[in-house]
Amino acid sequence: MNTTETTARPAPVLEVRNLTIGLPAGADRPHAVQDISFRVEPGKILCLVGESGSGKSVIANAVMGLLPRQLGPASGSIALQGREILNAPQEQLRKLRGAAMAMVFQEPMTALNPTMTCGAQVAELLRQHTAMSAAEQRLEILDIFARVKLPEPERIYASYPHQLSGGQRQRIVIAMALILKPALLICDEPTTALDVTTQAEILKLIMTLQRDSETAVLFITHDFGVVAEIADDVAVMQLGALVESGSKTQVLTRPAQPYTKMLLAAVPSMSAPARPAVPQAEPLLEARELSKVYRMGSWPARRREVLAARSVSLSVRPGETIGIVGESGSGKSTMARCIARLIEPTSGEIYAQGRSLAHAGNRQLSPYRRHVQVVFQDPYRSLNPRQTVGASIIEGPVNFGVPRNEAWKRAEQLMQLVRLNPSALRRYPNEFSGGQRQRISIARALACEAKVLIADEAVSALDVSVQAQILELLADIQKRLSLGILFITHDLRVASQICDSIIVMHQGEVVEQGETRQVFNTPRHAYTARLLASAPGRDFRFQE
């Protein structure tokens, strides 16, 4: 680097040099991160990308002084506004957290204290770092709540986290991070679980506040649409090493490294391809005019009704994938749970195997439980951590009367079908990666010889490369077994690539329904058009 370049560039807010952090003995590699160097300048956003296990979150936690004790010693340098903070005393780091640097975590429900109101949690931060009176604190909190576009700040101030939506909770966490105007903001996957419209609002909010305060932002994500939308610079991580870095345009359109090219090749396109027509056949599953009403409150308070889903009709044929998209609270998952009979619909009919099942009792539902299986978003929570994965896979068939030896042989075949070694059946869920656990969840769903899979946000939390593998796997299994798939997602890129037809839901109602290419290319309803326009990086052209 020449002297002219050095003097022309502003002093970085965060500078990481030759950072190396060890892993415990017995890990799959000696270092969590090794010899990492980068800088984040005032008013700039650096996106740190890479697959799970690449070391992105380890770097964020090292900057904040939150590294787990079991990790090995850290060497190198982390400078915040020119001050060395790697291995700094906890007392010094406590003074810097909130005031000079702040972090927004991926899951706001775990980042917030469920026993405290939202206002009280932000006030606690102000008490630690300022001399404001209680009245001044309240005014400051209401002001930041308004700035992050929270509705009814007074009500939000007095609300507990569980009383708010996911997007509102994330805004609370962002408000806490920004209220003291830190020089550095670290965002660790803050929009992964959000629908596209809420995600667009959160990203716009971060960019606006970052520009207004000249805040430096270190943004960790696996969503390349988000990277295309907000990044100034991009750094690509692989297995603890920094393999490529540069401007957004350079890395996303002219990548130099094969690993970066592989990641970008796995990003689903927003352009829906032409798909072969699904052969006409009797539906495996049919829902007619299905509705779900939740009745809330009790005497002596006034009772109220919440219409979660209204008059939804759909059918799934062999080899067909039906997508359901919409914002959080639109009724997607409620409808999926009604169809799977995990909850009972208020009205309407469900037909499968020539029988009406909307209001059937448990005994009549037993064959249906084998017919329709669900793959949930978080495989770690849906797999019993105390059972081997083999025990989890054979549990369903054994309960339906299949001999244990026969169920185990079927489990070995299914492990090969989902591209895992059958010897792994005797291991526990914590011994697998997120993508491997999702494959095991798919094998478990198929063990009961299901004809219909309901995938409820089954790939939304996965890296783009693992996501591509799971989607390819589902397509392959569907082709082999003529499965019908009901695919619930907020990821429009994924929906555009794998769904034969799309159902768009808004506030419990179906507002548009049709062939995927038609819905994506020429949406008829204003809500569908707004949903599509909110997809991050929609018009960005990645590597050719």
Side-chain angles (χ1 to χ4, degrees):
M1 184 180 294
N2 62 45
T3 308
T4 306
E5 287 176 329
T6 305
T7 54
R9 297 180 68 180
V13 173
L14 174 69
E15 185 165 21
V16 175
R17 279 189 256 173
N18 308 119
L19 179 66
T20 298
I21 300 169
L23 283 171
D28 60 354
R29 63 178 192 260
H31 299 99
V33 296
Q34 186 171 18
D35 201 26
I36 301 298
S37 298
F38 63 83
R39 53 190 276 152
V40 191
E41 296 174 356
K44 298 292 184 181
I45 298 177
L46 170 68
C47 281
L48 203 57
V49 301
E51 295 171 292
S52 294
S54 62
K56 306 185 302 294
S57 294
V58 170
I59 292 172
N61 287 327
V63 175
M64 293 294 293
L66 299 174
L67 282 177
R69 290 183 179 179
Q70 63 265 33
L71 289 186
S75 63
S77 170
I78 300 176
L80 179 67
Q81 294 180 306
R83 179 191 306 174
E84 181 60 48
I85 60 171
L86 181 63
N87 300 320
Q90 283 299 313
E91 185 60 34
Q92 178 185 342
L93 290 170
R94 272 194 292 270
K95 291 178 181 177
L96 293 173
R97 292 185 198 122
M101 59 180 178
M103 189 163 175
V104 179
F105 296 92
Q106 177 175 352
E107 178 44 67
M109 197 61 183
T110 57
L112 294 170
N113 187 333
T115 67
M116 295 174 67
T117 64
C118 296
Q121 294 189 56
V122 186
E124 184 179 48
L125 179 68
L126 294 178
R127 281 198 304 275
Q128 290 291 322
H129 293 280
T130 73
M132 290 182 185
S133 66
E136 289 171 329
Q137 289 173 17
R138 182 181 177 84
L139 288 175
E140 191 72 18
I141 294 167
L142 292 175
D143 177 65
I144 192 71
F145 282 3
R147 287 181 64 203
V148 299
K149 305 295 191 335
L150 279 165
E152 304 174 80
E154 293 274 2
R155 177 182 64 82
I156 299 288
Y157 185 98
S159 297
Y160 289 89
H162 73 272
Q163 296 174 304
L164 306 179
S165 70
Q168 289 172 338
R169 286 194 293 266
Q170 195 63 288
R171 289 167 191 266
I172 295 292
V173 176
I174 292 171
M176 291 178 70
L178 294 173
I179 194 167
L180 293 174
K181 298 181 175 63
L184 173 68
L185 178 65
I186 301 174
C187 299
D188 191 0
E189 301 278 12
T191 61
T192 295
L194 303 178
D195 56 67
V196 288
T197 50
T198 305
Q199 184 183 63
E201 292 170 0
I202 294 293
L203 294 177
K204 184 179 178 182
L205 169 67
I206 289 172
M207 288 190 291
T208 300
L209 297 176
Q210 167 251 336
R211 281 196 304 268
D212 291 347
S213 304
E214 280 289 289
T215 304
V217 179
L218 179 62
F219 198 103
I220 296 167
T221 184
H222 65 250
D223 188 331
F224 278 85
V226 170
V227 177
E229 192 76 24
I230 70 168
D232 293 300
D233 300 297
V234 181
V236 183
M237 298 280 299
Q238 180 188 21
L239 297 175
L242 185 62
V243 297
E244 185 164 0
S245 62
S247 69
K248 173 177 72 177
T249 303
Q250 174 190 327
V251 174
L252 298 190
T253 64
R254 300 186 300 278
Q257 298 300 318
Y259 178 72
T260 310
K261 293 176 182 178
M262 181 274 292
L263 289 179
L264 291 171
V267 178
S269 169
M270 278 292 291
S271 299
R275 295 178 65 84
V278 177
Q280 292 297 319
E282 283 294 312
L284 296 167
L285 174 69
E286 192 172 6
R288 297 180 191 169
E289 299 292 316
L290 216 56
S291 297
K292 179 63 180 177
V293 177
Y294 289 104
R295 293 176 174 85
M296 306 174 70
S298 59
W299 187 90
R302 180 179 298 176
R303 298 194 62 172
R304 65 189 181 97
E305 293 186 344
V306 177
L307 188 60
R310 175 190 294 169
S311 301
V312 177
S313 298
L314 60 89
S315 64
V316 184
R317 292 174 292 173
E320 183 177 30
T321 301
I322 304 293
I324 304 181
V325 301
E327 297 170 292
S328 296
S330 63
K332 306 187 303 295
S333 292
T334 297
M335 189 49 46
R337 288 196 292 269
C338 284
I339 290 171
R341 279 305 315 272
L342 298 177
I343 57 176
E344 186 171 348
T346 305
S347 63
E349 289 292 344
I350 300 170
Y351 293 97
Q353 300 170 310
R355 302 170 65 187
S356 173
L357 297 154
H359 306 285
N362 286 331
R363 182 167 295 181
Q364 295 105 320
L365 281 174
S366 183
Y368 185 66
R369 301 285 190 211
R370 299 189 70 171
H371 184 80
V372 177
Q373 289 283 307
V374 184
V375 180
F376 296 97
Q377 178 174 355
D378 187 345
Y380 194 72
R381 291 175 64 185
S382 60
L383 292 170
N384 188 336
R386 297 184 179 183
Q387 279 187 328
T388 63
V389 298
S392 290
I393 290 172
I394 70 170
E395 184 177 21
V398 169
N399 287 341
F400 285 117
V402 177
R404 191 176 184 84
N405 287 343
E406 186 179 326
W408 189 266
K409 287 180 183 177
R410 170 72 171 155
E412 290 177 333
Q413 294 169 355
L414 288 169
M415 289 294 275
Q416 292 177 326
L417 187 65
V418 300
R419 302 170 194 169
L420 289 174
N421 194 315
S423 64
L425 286 169
R426 302 189 186 279
R427 292 161 58 189
Y428 288 85
N430 67 304
E431 299 178 68
F432 297 89
S433 70
Q436 289 172 327
R437 286 196 292 265
Q438 198 62 291
R439 291 169 188 260
I440 291 163
S441 295
I442 293 169
R444 184 181 62 173
L446 295 174
C448 291
E449 300 180 340
K451 297 299 181 185
V452 177
L453 281 186
I454 298 177
D456 190 359
E457 300 285 8
V459 297
S460 64
L462 302 177
D463 305 317
V464 286
S465 54
V466 179
Q467 183 184 80
Q469 292 168 12
I470 295 295
L471 295 175
E472 181 187 349
L473 172 67
L474 281 174
D476 181 49
I477 292 172
Q478 183 180 46
K479 186 176 180 180
R480 291 196 205 182
L481 305 179
S482 293
L483 287 173
I485 298 177
L486 189 60
F487 198 90
I488 292 100
T489 184
H490 64 250
D491 191 328
L492 299 177
R493 289 179 179 272
V494 169
S496 74
Q497 297 303 302
I498 71 162
C499 296
D500 297 295
S501 60
I502 291 287
I503 295 170
V504 183
M505 292 191 68
H506 179 51
Q507 295 181 349
E509 295 188 76
V510 174
V511 297
E512 186 159 355
Q513 186 169 359
E515 185 262 328
T516 302
R517 203 171 191 187
Q518 175 266 312
V519 171
F520 272 70
N521 292 344
T522 55
R524 296 189 301 269
H525 197 279
Y527 174 75
T528 307
R530 181 164 67 88
L531 203 63
L532 292 168
S534 298
R538 173 182 171 82
D539 299 319
F540 191 87
R541 294 180 65 84
F542 293 95
Q543 66 170 350
E544 296 297 332

